[in-house]
Amino acid sequence: MASAPLLLPLDLEGAPADARAAGAAHARDVAPLTNMKRTLLHAPPAFDALMTWYPLRDAVRAFLGERATTLFAHAVSAETDCLICSTFFRRLLVDAGEDLDALVLSAEEAELVAFGRALAVTPHRVPDAVAAPLRARCTDAELVTLVAFGALMVATNVVNNALGVPLDGYLEPYRRAEVPGAGVSA
């Protein structure tokens, strides 16, 4: 069961001008404003920092592709028990036609998912056996970009979890049924 939010998403109508401007620009140029983004807009520099997620995601998608990028982000988010992000990525996978109860991963995707989960659990050092397959097939720039994207996913997950950001209504149908004693996984 989710706890009460530490603070509520910002009401943009009464918000400071810099928060309103950042929110309006993002909604116009990038993506709709979610509860997480409106919560971050309480501090526009924090919003700006975490919204670099979009160019990092685009850079990762350029070498991994859409599905693998989503699988990686979901793995990080599920491992950190981030209700918002894991549900967001569940939505992307379900809407793309994936059966999450019978998800089939290629060997490369399985390695990527394992890397994402390990990064979420042990960011100070991903075990060599988990990192080696990615090191073998990624360029230096790709590996740095992937790790930075994963780290930003972890940061986003921490913000959502620590502040208790409420799940957006549009994500409710994609929410995984909670199992007593278990976190948000697949």
Side-chain angles (χ1 to χ4, degrees):
M1 176 179 257
S3 60
L6 196 56
L7 59 107
L8 294 174
L10 185 64
D11 176 3
L12 290 176
E13 287 189 28
D18 60 341
R20 283 194 322 271
H26 184 82
R28 181 189 64 239
D29 299 337
V30 182
L33 289 180
T34 60
N35 286 340
M36 179 192 78
K37 293 171 189 175
R38 289 183 27 247
T39 300
L40 285 167
L41 282 167
H42 282 284
F47 174 83
D48 291 343
L50 290 183
M51 291 306 101
T52 61
W53 181 90
Y54 286 93
L56 274 172
R57 185 237 11 228
D58 294 346
V60 168
R61 195 168 42 191
F63 63 87
L64 286 184
E66 185 72 38
R67 182 174 193 261
T69 300
T70 301
L71 289 169
F72 176 76
H74 179 263
V76 172
S77 300
E79 197 63 33
T80 64
D81 277 345
C82 181
L83 175 63
I84 290 175
C85 292
S86 65
T87 305
F88 175 82
F89 294 111
R90 281 179 60 80
R91 178 184 68 90
L92 293 180
L93 291 166
V94 167
D95 287 355
E98 299 288 347
D99 177 357
L100 297 181
D101 293 325
L103 192 60
V104 177
L105 301 176
S106 69
E108 292 82 13
E109 290 168 338
E111 292 165 350
L112 186 64
V113 165
F115 186 81
R117 287 186 178 275
L119 185 65
V121 171
T122 58
H124 55 278
R125 180 80 171 137
V126 173
D128 290 340
V130 174
L134 289 172
R135 181 64 191 119
R137 72 172 185 267
C138 290
T139 67
D140 293 350
E142 289 170 344
L143 192 57
V144 168
T145 302
L146 181 64
V147 170
F149 177 62
L152 204 51
M153 277 305 325
V154 169
T156 301
N157 297 168
V158 167
V159 167
N160 286 327
N161 290 343
L163 295 177
V165 177
L167 188 67
D168 294 274
Y170 80 97
L171 292 174
E172 280 295 338
Y174 300 93
R175 186 176 187 161
R176 182 173 187 256
E178 291 187 35
V179 177
V184 176
S185 56

